[in-house]
Amino acid sequence: MNATLKLELKRFWRTPVLVIPYLAVIAYMGYSFFLDLQAFMLDQYTESYIWTYIQGWFKFSSLTFILLLYLSFVFYREKIVRKLDEAIQTYRPGRYHMFLITLGVFTVLLFPIFLLVTGTILWATYILMYNHAIFLCYILKLLAWYYLLTPLVAVLLGILLAQIKQENRAITVLVFVILVFLGKGQGLIMRVSSGTVSLEILNLIFSPFNLFPKGTDVIVPPAAMYPLLVDQRCLLYAWMAGILTFLVYCSPLCKKPKRFLQYSLALLTVICAILSALPVSYFPYDRFYRHQDDFYYAENPHDRERKANFRITKIVGDLDIYRLLKADISLTICDMVGQSDGLLRFTLYHGYKLKQVLLDGSPIVFRQDGDFISINLPSDYEAGEHDITMRYAGCSANCYSNEQAIFLPGYFAYLPHTGHLSLYSPETYGYKVLHYPEPVQFDLKINTSCPTFTNLKRQADGRYQGNSDGLTILGGILESVKVGEVTVVDTPLAWHHMNPEMIAADLNSVKDLGIADLGDKPILYTTKQVQRSLEEEFVMFTDHFLANGEGKLKYNITLAKLPDNYRVLYYHTQAYTSHPEDFPDYVSQSLQSLLEPDNPNREWAEEEGLLDFYQQLDKAFQNHSVEEIMEPVMHYFFQYSSDSPDFMEFLDELVNKN
């Protein structure tokens, strides 16, 4: 076996068509890694940049896959052409070891690539002195998965394609397979079909070929990183078992063991394929799926709001967060008036499918229509306190929940709310903020293998208990830092990562201006994904608040409490805070541009009040300094309340003041 392996390795190194591509790829990867590490050394990047570079490094997993696919195909094809496979099979051990020897050759060849990638990433973490244990363990898992197991599928696939007898047909199939794995197959079909095939169907067809991470042009949440979820693992196992099924069919084994192996592997392929196709909760890196809710609510507008005349006082139960979110919870409701129409109404995000509802322990008829749940009450129902048990499971396109990472903000309806409430804002293309009208008593067991942070206190028995008007659950590669009385949960691998000094300065800027009451001991989550819409990235609850964590806490709090017609104006005043000396020229040039007849933004600027705003500022800067005008304007925004005077009247008085 060892002697044969050495001979096969020598044959590889003596074949230029194999050696040249292999060395070229290693040289290219080494040079790219050298440039990245040089950038680390010269620019003195902090740990907040490391995930961006790791995301770039993992793009080579697809290159490694294609390289091994090509090499194994050519290597084994030459063996067949030269009848070497028949020579090996003439003695009994060769019959069983032929595939193992080929796998051994490419395992040896893959090892330098694995060492190169692993060494580079570990070196970068050493340079940055970043020793987050969860991060390092997960990186090693990613490396083993994408640089050892996935290339193994490429080797097996190359051996299988080499079995095709006609050389032209074999090469054609190889080229097509490479294009498909590189993601070029969809484009080819779209061109051939002149765009008649829908993108959704194409995504379904090509989803089995997503064996390696997406490139650097997609959003990858630093708290979640690349997925190694059960669907991804089962997909790889399905490929392995499926390829081995055909390889066993082509092998010279005796009929009985051959048939048993083939049927067993075929069964395993089907099982793994089914498991990989089952729903799983993850952050969708593809933009089409990330905007599923935009499409859903455009086709299914939920504007039939109906407030409830009862309230939830307590939520008790279990949340299982592994492949999906599975909930078995009991809601204690306080119904003081009774329901004249015989219905209890709740709101739950439509991605969670309700399986069973119990009223005081007895099954009851219910109907789920999108985000709306209606429960038919029995004839003997009376007002008072009742227990409603709900069992449901599912996922969201943006608020993911799995064993690797969790993003379930308190404003998202992954737990039921009373009444029929609209969850989505078509104006801002985002979720509306939901609060329980009064703090709810929570007593939940959160079962997951993911490191978890919540705004509730964890008890000795593992349950989370506390009173709040919203439960936020975050999980993944996060860290908790104490800044004064504030607990900050942040994503250490994100670009926006802030150190405790920056967080303290951000909090002090809010407290000094008095623009919001943050409470005595709030919990601040500063993960970048916390957002209620495209414009607002700050949400406050009774016991914690959520912010985007980019050092813009003052800006986001102010923006969140301003009326819609003031938000654009406040946004444009930010130019003053960064470059005050240039602000008069900026206003004058913007005004001249908007006044041009053919400016397409003029109508929008008039509707938003921006045109009048610029005209007043331009007039003010002719008689007053920037500070004399903008400091009162900013103070107006910071201190805004429902009792504040109309902004344009306030600005007019300020401009005309001597």
Side-chain angles (χ1 to χ4, degrees), residues 421-608:
L421 308 175
S422 176
L423 301 185
Y424 183 82
S425 171
E427 291 80 15
T428 58
Y429 296 100
Y431 301 126
K432 293 182 179 179
V433 172
L434 292 188
H435 296 268
Y436 289 104
E438 296 180 13
V440 173
Q441 182 181 351
F442 289 96
D443 184 0
L444 293 171
K445 180 70 178 294
I446 302 175
N447 304 305
T448 183
S449 56
C450 173
T452 305
F453 297 87
T454 78
N455 52 299
L456 304 180
K457 291 184 178 180
R458 182 182 173 88
Q459 307 300 316
D461 60 356
R463 301 189 71 83
Y464 291 87
Q465 298 177 346
N467 295 325
S468 179
D469 60 342
L471 171 60
T472 294
I473 307 175
L474 300 179
I477 300 181
L478 302 166
E479 64 181 7
S480 176
V481 180
K482 195 79 173 178
V483 181
E485 295 181 334
V486 177
T487 301
V488 180
V489 178
D490 198 11
T491 312
L493 302 182
W495 283 78
H496 71 275
H497 177 62
M498 299 195 300
N499 58 43
E501 291 76 17
M502 293 173 62
I503 295 169
D506 212 23
L507 290 171
N508 289 333
S509 68
V510 174
K511 293 178 181 178
D512 293 343
L513 290 168
I515 63 176
D517 181 13
L518 302 182
D520 295 330
K521 294 184 179 180
I523 298 177
L524 170 64
Y525 294 108
T526 58
T527 172
K528 175 59 180 172
Q529 280 183 257
V530 172
Q531 57 182 8
R532 58 176 289 187
S533 67
L534 296 179
E535 285 80 22
E536 300 177 40
E537 298 185 358
F538 173 84
V539 184
M540 180 176 286
F541 298 90
T542 55
D543 64 336
H544 71 290
F545 60 93
L546 308 174
N548 71 355
E550 291 189 357
K552 299 190 298 183
L553 188 60
K554 178 174 64 175
Y555 169 77
N556 287 325
I557 293 177
T558 305
L559 188 67
K561 67 177 185 175
L562 286 174
D564 292 341
N565 57 329
Y566 288 174
R567 291 176 183 176
V568 172
L569 310 183
Y570 175 57
Y571 170 78
H572 283 266
T573 60
Q574 297 308 300
Y576 162 75
T577 61
S578 56
H579 301 287
E581 68 282 356
D582 299 331
F583 196 60
D585 291 337
Y586 167 78
V587 170
S588 178
Q589 293 172 8
S590 299
L591 179 60
Q592 292 177 11
S593 175
L594 288 174
L595 290 176
E596 292 178 0
D598 57 346
N599 191 320
N601 295 321
R602 178 168 180 168
E603 184 178 350
W604 168 81
E606 289 178 346
E607 292 177 355
E608 296 292 339

Side-chain angles (χ1 to χ4, degrees), residues 118-131:
T118 304
T120 306
I121 292 177
L122 294 181
W123 189 15
T125 58
Y126 172 75
I127 291 173
L128 298 172
M129 295 182 291
Y130 187 69
N131 56 357

